[in-house]
């Protein structure tokens, strides 16, 4: 989490939430506003709707997708540093086994595709 102080310089702060967030300075004071990835996705979606054309591939990633990507990146860095001498189990870090090819494939997200009420309406 990064916040902007009155000097305008970014300062790292210890985030207590596991959620991804961006703190931006509202004015020259010390006030900050937290914008989550969900907020950013919603804003981007509304902006695309207002323009009349929604491109889902241009939306920011979901919290779950960012979490899985972070796990995969951590595993990759760990393996590069350790030179695979003490590799961690990939299934604990954002990968799942492909049973047909005995290989690994990335987990996209553990988030629901849509809210449960909406899924019930569709099915």
């Amino acid at each position: 989490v990064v916040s902007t102080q009155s000097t305008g310089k970014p300062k790292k702060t210890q985030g207590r939430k596991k959620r991804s967030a961006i703190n931006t300075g509202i004015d020259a004071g010390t006030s900050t506003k937290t914008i989550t990835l969900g907020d950013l996705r919603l804003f981007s979606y509304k902006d695309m709707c207002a323009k009349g054309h929604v491109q889902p591939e241009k939306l920011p990633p979901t919290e779950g997708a960012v979490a899985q990507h972070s796990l995969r990146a951590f595993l990759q860095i760990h393996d590069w540093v350790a030179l695979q001498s003490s590799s961690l189990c990939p299934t604990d870090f954002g990968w799942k086994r492909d049973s047909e090819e005995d290989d690994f494939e990335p987990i996209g997200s553990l988030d629901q595709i849509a809210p449960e009420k909406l899924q019930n309406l569709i099915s």
Side-chain angles (χ1 to χ4, degrees):
V1 176
V2 176
S3 65
T4 306
Q5 299 296 321
S6 59
T7 61
K9 295 180 182 176
K11 177 186 172 189
K12 291 185 180 181
T13 58
Q14 197 73 350
R16 293 184 181 178
K17 295 181 180 179
K18 198 172 183 176
R19 297 173 49 180
S20 301
I22 302 168
N23 286 336
T24 56
I26 295 173
D27 56 27
T30 58
S31 301
T32 59
K33 179 181 178 188
T34 300
I35 303 169
T36 65
L37 276 174
D39 295 337
L40 189 56
R41 282 180 62 84
L42 180 60
F43 174 78
S44 298
Y45 175 75
K46 287 180 177 181
D47 188 49
M48 287 181 196
C49 286
K51 292 178 181 176
H53 186 64
V54 177
Q55 296 174 293
E57 68 275 8
K58 296 209 175 189
L59 289 172
T62 63
E63 300 275 344
V66 169
Q68 294 303 313
H69 174 76
S70 298
L71 288 172
R72 290 190 301 273
F74 174 82
L75 178 66
Q76 185 68 53
I77 292 168
H78 178 273
D79 282 354
W80 284 343
V81 171
L83 297 175
Q84 297 184 352
S85 62
S86 61
S87 183
L88 301 172
C89 180
T91 57
D92 293 338
F93 291 91
W95 294 90
K96 63 182 176 181
R97 275 237 183 246
D98 182 0
S99 58
E100 295 177 9
E101 298 181 23
D102 195 35
D103 205 359
F104 291 101
E105 59 185 48
I107 298 171
S109 178
L110 298 178
D111 292 341
Q112 288 185 331
I113 294 172
E116 192 172 331
K117 287 183 179 181
L118 181 60
Q119 289 180 18
N120 292 338
L121 283 174
I122 295 171
S123 58

